[in-house]
Amino acid sequence: MLLNIRDLKTYFPGRKQYLFSKPEQVKAIDGVTISIEEGETLGLVGESGSGKSTLGKAIVNLVTKTGGTVMFKDFADEKHQSNSGKIQMVFQDPLASLNPRMTVGNAISEVLKYHRIVPKDKILQRVKALFRMVELSPDLIFNYPHQFSGGQRQRIGIARALAVNPELIICDEVVSALDVSIQAQIINLLKRLQIDQGIAYLFISHDLAVVRQIAHRIAVLYCGRIVEIGRTDEIISSPMHPYTQALFSVASESNSGSVSMISTEVANPANPPDGCHFHPRCPIANNSGNFIGACSSVDPDLKKKSGGRMVACHQI
Ligand SMILES: Nc1ncnc2c1ncn2[C@@H]1O[C@H](COP(=O)(O)OP(=O)(O)OP(=O)(O)O)[C@@H](O)[C@H]1O
Ligand code: SF4
Ligand SMILES: [Mg+2]
């Protein structure tokens, strides 16, 4: 097991209802338990605001965990695991955070120096090798961030992540801003790197069409909780949770693969509904405004189904 996450919680302080009241808590991640195997891609899908980015950031300690544990291999010490560089995160625009007056080659050299990956006299050679690894000409290391196209920026973001020989890369909407043909190139690059170097990915996307191209398994997040997780082929061919079913039918109707279009409102993580957070939107539970069984009162646990699938629903 490469990554083992148990009951992870990340709560943010939200707005104050009244001037002197305590701020409400935004339960962005509220008890997530998942694992990722070596060399595996786990896709993470859900509507906007479901907590996908927060989960990725909590794994690399970019946001504070409120509870739970993140175990990476045999590193018991969480500080050590985040400093080791073995888990990297790549964002939608990975060059946005770079100094615009520094060449991208120098930016990657800084990473190599910080982590002491190679001796000083081998740094230039290593930066060029990283560019070749992501199928970019090594001559481009002398360019500045603004001189690259969207697809090239993403390749450089991946090269920067690869600089520290990671075993897991968290890809947060890495192809969402790209044209479909460029998306396919980046997906193929990630797949090739996985085969060559055995890297695992947590692949976060709101686009199911993209996720199904790369993920071995898919986890579906709703209001900070995993509602379904299983093998990609099984989840795509027979989604079980009513939320997964709704996401997939909307995505196929819209033909865009996007999951941000279910008509009723997403649950608010600052004030989630009691019981199953999905119950006000659930077509199975809602019988003309009366909710069946425990749906509106008891939070369903993830339960094992056939083929290793897990689903959190009282009615399945
Ligand atoms: N730093 C923060 N402070 C307060 N609330 C936050 C913070 N970051 C995220 N949130 C809230 O946590 C919830 C989950 O946000 P998150 O960005 O993880 O969702 P997401 O699934 O990545 O959405 P998207 O698809 O739009 O990127 C949202 O309600 C968001 O407003
Ligand atoms: S537990 Fe009830 S409300 Fe939640 S998804 Fe299942 S049927 Fe719908
Ligand atoms: Mg996000």
Side-chain angles (χ1 to χ4, degrees):
M1 186 90 62
L2 187 68
L3 185 77
N4 202 350
I5 298 174
R6 288 278 161 269
D7 201 22
L8 184 64
K9 295 183 178 132
T10 296
Y11 298 171
F12 296 112
R15 284 177 313 174
K16 282 186 176 188
Q17 291 280 35
Y18 307 103
L19 187 58
F20 297 109
S21 65
K22 272 174 121 182
E24 55 190 5
Q25 280 187 316
V26 179
K27 296 182 175 179
I29 292 297
D30 197 17
V32 165
T33 295
I34 48 170
S35 58
I36 301 180
E37 301 287 343
E38 285 174 28
E40 181 193 37
T41 302
L42 177 66
L44 183 64
V45 302
E47 290 164 288
S48 182
S50 56
K52 305 182 295 297
S53 298
T54 304
L55 178 55
K57 289 177 187 168
I59 294 170
V60 291
N61 286 325
L62 281 177
V63 294
T64 308
K65 296 183 217 22
T66 310
T69 55
V70 175
M71 291 288 290
F72 182 70
K73 290 177 84 177
D74 48 355
F75 290 126
D77 173 3
E78 287 201 16
K79 269 216 172 100
H80 181 195
Q81 76 195 24
S82 62
N83 291 339
S84 71
K86 291 291 170 194
I87 310 177
Q88 291 288 304
M89 190 157 180
V90 180
F91 295 93
Q92 188 166 339
D93 184 359
L95 304 195
S97 59
L98 289 190
N99 180 346
R101 285 182 289 279
M102 186 186 268
T103 66
V104 289
N106 279 339
I108 295 179
S109 304
E110 295 288 313
V111 177
L112 292 171
K113 280 183 210 157
Y114 178 81
H115 287 279
R116 298 190 187 153
I117 303 288
V118 286
K120 274 194 179 145
D121 60 334
K122 295 275 186 315
I123 285 180
L124 183 63
Q125 206 179 324
R126 174 73 180 154
V127 175
K128 287 185 176 176
L130 285 165
F131 265 55
R132 276 190 217 99
M133 236 180 250
V134 296
E135 296 154 5
L136 285 177
S137 161
D139 298 341
L140 294 174
I141 66 170
F142 303 108
N143 284 11
Y144 292 88
H146 71 271
Q147 293 175 299
F148 293 97
S149 68
Q152 287 176 323
R153 292 167 83 85
Q154 219 32 277
R155 286 175 192 273
I156 294 163
I158 295 165
R160 189 168 54 152
L162 292 175
V164 284
N165 303 319
E167 290 177 56
L168 170 68
I169 301 181
I170 298 169
C171 300
D172 190 357
E173 305 281 4
V174 289
V175 298
S176 302
L178 305 176
D179 292 345
V180 174
S181 62
I182 311 288
Q183 279 186 351
Q185 291 172 13
I186 299 293
I187 296 286
N188 287 337
L189 171 67
L190 290 170
K191 282 185 179 176
R192 185 177 59 70
L193 291 169
Q194 184 165 64
I195 292 166
D196 293 350
Q197 304 187 23
I199 302 168
Y201 301 115
L202 176 63
F203 192 89
I204 298 172
S205 178
H206 65 279
D207 191 335
L208 294 168
V210 168
V211 173
R212 68 188 297 177
Q213 291 176 50
I214 189 164
H216 300 111
R217 288 187 301 138
I218 292 179
V220 183
L221 196 61
Y222 186 73
C223 199
R225 292 181 178 168
I226 303 291
V227 296
E228 182 162 2
I229 182 166
R231 273 183 18 214
T232 300
D233 54 343
E234 287 185 349
I235 298 242
I236 300 271
S237 63
S238 61
M240 288 174 92
H241 194 282
Y243 178 62
T244 319
Q245 289 174 353
L247 280 186
F248 282 44
S249 69
V250 170
S252 64
E253 271 166 33
S254 74
N255 245 349
S256 70
S258 171
V259 298
S260 55
M261 297 163 72
I262 296 181
S263 54
T264 47
E265 223 170 273
V266 186
N268 175 4
N271 187 18
D274 289 339
C276 171
H277 291 348
F278 187 58
H279 84 259
R281 306 172 83 191
C282 180
I284 293 179
N286 193 340
N287 183 4
S288 313
N290 297 314
F291 295 102
I292 57 170
C295 291
S296 60
S297 55
V298 181
D299 182 20
D301 289 329
L302 269 175
K303 284 194 212 96
K304 272 200 178 127
K305 305 291 163 188
S306 63
R309 183 139 30 153
M310 309 270 282
V311 183
C313 174
H314 294 304
Q315 311 301 330
I316 291 168

